[in-house]
Amino acid sequence: MTAQHDSDKRFSLYYRDGYAVLEVYPCENKEQKVYAEDILNRMKILGIPLVRMMKLEEIIERSDGVTELLTEWPAGGHLAPAIQIRVNEDRMSAEAFVEPPRTGGGRVTLEQFNAALDRHKLRFGIKRDAISDCIEKERYSEWFRIAEGRPPVHGQGGKVRYLFNLDRGKPFRELPFGRIDLKELNFIDYKEKDCELAVLEPAIEPQDGKDLYDDIVAAKPAGDGESLNAGTGCEIRENKVFALENGNVRLDRGVVIVEPVVTVNNVDYETGNLSFEGSVIVKGHVADGFEIRASGDIQIGKSVGRVRIIAGRNLILQSGINGDKEGHLETGGDLYARFVESCFVDTKGSVFVSGALLNSTVKIGGDLLLEGGRCEIVGGLTVVRGWVKCRKIGSLYEAKTTVVAGVDPEQLDSFHSLLRELAKLREQQDNLDKQLHHFEKLCSQKEATGLTFRQRDQAAESVREAEYKVGEKLKEINHMRRELHPDEKSFVLAEDMIYLGSKVSFGLLDFIPRQRGASKTILQSKEGKIRETGYNPAQIPEEIRKALPSGE
């Protein structure tokens, strides 16, 4: 904002540093001529003590625009621009705010800024260019940076800079509308022999700083720093890690390793089953009846069927699997597939499917996300420790579909195993009760012998043992029942429909849709009950939005 002096373009009369000052400008014609009376009238309006007429006429005679002191005028100070300064708590920066002058107050001056800086005892890092800019452009009513300290440079021990991808938690590329492109994955970071993989950067020496009061700000000394660690397939040369062979580079608990990568066109009778300490890429298909085991990642280009695939880390099926009830997938990490049908899946991580999950038994230690195509779960049993997001659960034909969320699949298996054991014990107990009843009936007859009585006593002892076993098994079941309390952060989000014939459970709590099914719904386990809320893409609850990929 630019402030105007008390000026009519012929002269300026204003306050400066305790004085009234006058500037008379050259006139180009008689109409612009300044008269002493004009200045005296203006002085009366502003309350400036009067001066001799002769002095005014001498200044008018010169009309050179030079600033002339007229008289002392301390009362005019309230008209001058006021400067406010605020200093940050860390004493490393300060800002200034200039209130515009009133009529006759004059523009802000360097002397005013210097006085304000002195009042605040600011001595270091003054931004003189910013002050000059404010004076020249008359920048009023806005905060601007007037001083900056010199921050300390804290010491830092040598740090390792890795020259490969460390963040492979979400390796897929997302297409529009949240779909997943399974064709572009980067689990395997392939490096060639002699490639530089990591470098130990030099330590940073500490350098003290200064605050605005010219006081020293001490820098922290350097710590011990990091160290280079080279494992399998690597070596350290001149504070750098180099690959000794071609392969997949990764960081394993702080150690850089290069593991070999096997690439084959197909897995069939020409290759036989594959078992490999490293990662495997199959460009084509895996024939029915064959098996792949790898300690690292496995990536397969075409659809697979009745196969057994076990990956120590992640498994990527770029097309999918139709196991015909004989397919078997196990992963220590995540599973990515276009579709999964008629197979058994056991994954310690999460599962990402861009199509459908059909008639399969699936155990997931993480979350389940279906995005892109049909996005439906139809048939079978799906147990997910975390959350589920899909479009549909079940089908119009009421296919029996069970989804369990919020519990560890292994714990749920153990619970159902205990229930089966209890059922067998109770069946044995019923048979022993029948035997005891039979011997008691024989003992009531006159021709009963000592052998009969002994058989009755043995049967009674067996019944007592069976009762004890049943009681102990019930204790185990009740303890496991308490352990199966579902995680309240878990949820099941169905964007379209949960059909009749489907069951969604959170631990041992069941939700069974009635009448026409549940449309556009979010299910959660809250305070021992299943809570159902409507699904609106524009108003997803914050706790669920944060859990979904990219905070959808």
Side-chain angles (χ1 to χ4, degrees):
M1 174 181 177
T2 301
Q4 295 293 330
H5 307 303
D6 188 29
S7 169
D8 61 4
K9 297 183 181 181
R10 298 179 300 156
F11 68 92
S12 292
L13 181 65
Y14 57 91
Y15 171 87
R16 175 177 286 183
D17 300 330
Y19 287 86
V21 298
L22 174 65
E23 297 171 1
V24 179
Y25 309 119
C27 59
E28 298 178 358
N29 51 57
K30 293 182 179 180
E31 295 179 356
Q32 292 181 343
K33 182 175 178 59
V34 179
Y35 296 96
E37 290 79 5
D38 296 334
I39 298 173
L40 286 172
N41 289 335
R42 188 71 55 79
M43 293 175 69
K44 291 178 182 178
I45 292 172
L46 294 174
I48 300 173
L50 297 180
V51 298
R52 294 172 62 192
M53 183 74 73
M54 184 183 299
K55 184 174 183 178
L56 296 177
E57 289 176 347
E58 289 175 355
I59 297 172
I60 292 171
E61 182 68 25
R62 289 193 293 271
S63 295
D64 52 9
V66 175
T67 302
E68 305 278 356
L69 292 178
L70 289 183
T71 183
E72 291 185 355
W73 184 31
H78 72 284
L79 303 176
I83 300 175
Q84 301 178 42
I85 293 180
R86 62 186 183 190
V87 181
N88 200 26
E89 289 183 4
D90 62 4
R91 302 169 32 141
M92 296 299 289
S93 65
E95 293 179 310
F97 182 93
V98 182
E99 295 180 1
R102 299 179 184 178
T103 301
R107 69 174 63 188
V108 68
T109 65
L110 179 60
E111 289 76 14
Q112 286 178 284
F113 272 107
N114 288 335
L117 292 170
D118 287 340
R119 285 197 303 274
H120 287 81
K121 299 180 180 179
L122 303 184
R123 299 184 177 88
F124 181 81
I126 308 303
K127 300 175 74 67
R128 296 293 175 184
D129 290 345
I131 293 175
S132 298
D133 183 68
C134 177
I135 294 172
E136 292 173 7
K137 297 180 180 178
E138 299 186 54
R139 293 174 54 189
Y140 300 126
S141 301
E142 60 180 270
W143 289 97
F144 68 94
R145 187 66 58 89
I146 194 174
E148 284 185 346
R150 186 179 69 228
V153 177
H154 298 300
Q156 179 177 295
K159 190 173 183 179
V160 177
R161 178 164 54 91
Y162 296 100
L163 306 178
F164 56 90
N165 184 16
L166 295 178
D167 184 13
R168 306 186 198 182
K170 188 178 180 182
F172 52 82
R173 183 171 69 91
E174 285 193 353
L175 296 172
F177 309 107
R179 292 179 295 137
I180 299 170
D181 186 358
L182 294 176
K183 293 180 180 179
E184 294 193 17
L185 299 161
N186 63 351
F187 281 113
I188 297 174
D189 195 347
Y190 185 82
K191 300 294 184 183
E192 295 184 349
K193 182 180 178 181
D194 293 326
C195 179
E196 187 177 329
L197 305 177
V199 58
L200 180 60
E201 297 179 333
I204 298 175
E205 296 298 326
Q207 296 179 15
D208 292 338
K210 276 191 177 184
D211 65 16
L212 302 183
Y213 303 104
D214 207 25
D215 293 331
I216 297 296
V217 180
K220 296 178 182 178
D224 293 336
E226 300 177 351
S227 60
L228 285 175
N229 297 294
T232 305
C234 303
E235 70 172 0
I236 298 175
R237 301 196 301 263
E238 299 178 354
N239 287 331
K240 296 179 180 180
V241 177
F242 292 89
L244 291 176
E245 59 183 336
N246 299 343
N248 176 39
V249 60
R250 63 186 181 90
L251 192 66
D252 185 8
R253 289 170 290 188
V255 179
V256 180
I257 65 172
V258 173
E259 60 184 10
V261 177
V262 166
T263 302
V264 296
N265 290 324
N266 302 298
V267 174
D268 50 26
Y269 288 101
E270 290 187 7
T271 62
N273 295 327
L274 290 184
S275 181
F276 186 62
E277 289 296 322
S279 297
V280 174
I281 298 176
V282 181
K283 295 180 179 179
H285 69 273
V286 180
D288 287 349
F290 283 84
E291 178 179 299
I292 302 176
R293 291 176 179 264
S295 62
D297 302 314
I298 299 176
Q299 182 170 319
I300 302 174
K302 294 185 178 180
S303 298
V304 295
R306 297 191 297 273
V307 298
R308 185 178 185 88
I309 301 174
I310 301 175
R313 291 199 299 274
N314 304 295
L315 172 60
I316 306 101
L317 303 178
Q318 290 182 307
S319 291
I321 180 171
N322 184 343
D324 196 20
K325 299 182 181 179
E326 295 182 29
H328 187 101
L329 307 177
E330 290 184 32
T331 76
D334 298 333
L335 168 65
Y336 297 81
R338 183 160 296 173
F339 65 90
V340 175
E341 183 174 0
S342 298
C343 69
F344 174 84
V345 176
D346 186 355
T347 177
K348 297 299 185 290
S350 298
V351 174
F352 302 88
V353 179
S354 62
L357 181 58
L358 307 172
N359 301 314
S360 298
T361 299
V362 182
K363 300 176 183 178
I364 302 173
D367 307 312
L368 172 59
L369 172 66
L370 288 94
E371 286 277 352
R374 294 162 60 184
C375 302
E376 58 187 5
I377 305 172
V378 181
L381 169 66
T382 303
V383 184
V384 183
R385 186 168 189 167
W387 50 262
V388 178
K389 181 176 184 290
C390 61
R391 186 171 297 164
K392 300 176 184 177
I393 297 177
S395 71
L396 281 171
Y397 304 103
E398 300 186 16
K400 186 178 180 181
T401 306
T402 302
V403 175
V404 184
V407 294
D408 186 338
E410 300 300 328
Q411 283 188 323
L412 190 62
D413 276 352
S414 298
F415 179 76
H416 288 297
S417 177
L418 288 175
L419 291 180
R420 289 191 294 270
E421 292 174 12
L422 178 63
K424 288 182 180 179
L425 287 175
R426 281 181 166 161
E427 184 178 351
Q428 294 173 3
Q429 189 180 33
D430 288 342
N431 292 331
L432 291 172
D433 285 339
K434 291 177 182 178
Q435 289 182 11
L436 178 59
H437 179 72
H438 172 71
F439 287 121
E440 285 179 341
K441 187 175 181 180
L442 291 178
C443 289
S444 64
Q445 298 176 3
K446 293 181 179 181
E447 49 280 354
T449 64
L451 176 62
T452 304
F453 283 97
R454 287 195 297 274
Q455 289 175 328
R456 182 199 64 182
D457 293 341
Q458 290 176 355
E461 180 63 25
S462 297
V463 167
R464 286 192 292 272
E465 290 179 2
E467 289 176 349
Y468 175 78
K469 290 180 179 178
V470 168
E472 290 299 307
K473 193 61 66 178
L474 284 172
K475 290 180 182 178
E476 287 186 61
I477 289 173
N478 290 332
H479 175 74
M480 183 65 73
R481 194 185 300 275
R482 290 191 293 272
E483 292 291 318
L484 284 172
H485 182 74
D487 186 349
E488 293 198 352
K489 293 182 180 179
S490 63
F491 59 87
V492 174
L493 193 163
E495 295 179 326
D496 192 346
M497 179 68 70
I498 301 177
Y499 290 99
L500 293 177
S502 304
K503 181 173 73 171
V504 176
S505 303
F506 290 85
L508 303 177
L509 300 173
D510 295 334
F511 172 84
I512 300 175
R514 293 177 175 83
Q515 296 178 349
R516 298 182 180 179
S519 175
K520 300 183 186 303
T521 188
I522 299 174
L523 302 177
Q524 295 173 279
S525 172
K526 297 292 183 182
E527 299 176 352
K529 297 180 180 180
I530 294 180
R531 185 176 72 186
E532 180 182 7
T533 55
Y535 167 68
N536 181 348
Q539 297 178 344
I540 300 177
E542 184 68 12
E543 59 181 321
I544 294 178
R545 186 186 65 79
K546 288 183 177 179
L548 295 173
S550 303
E552 293 179 1

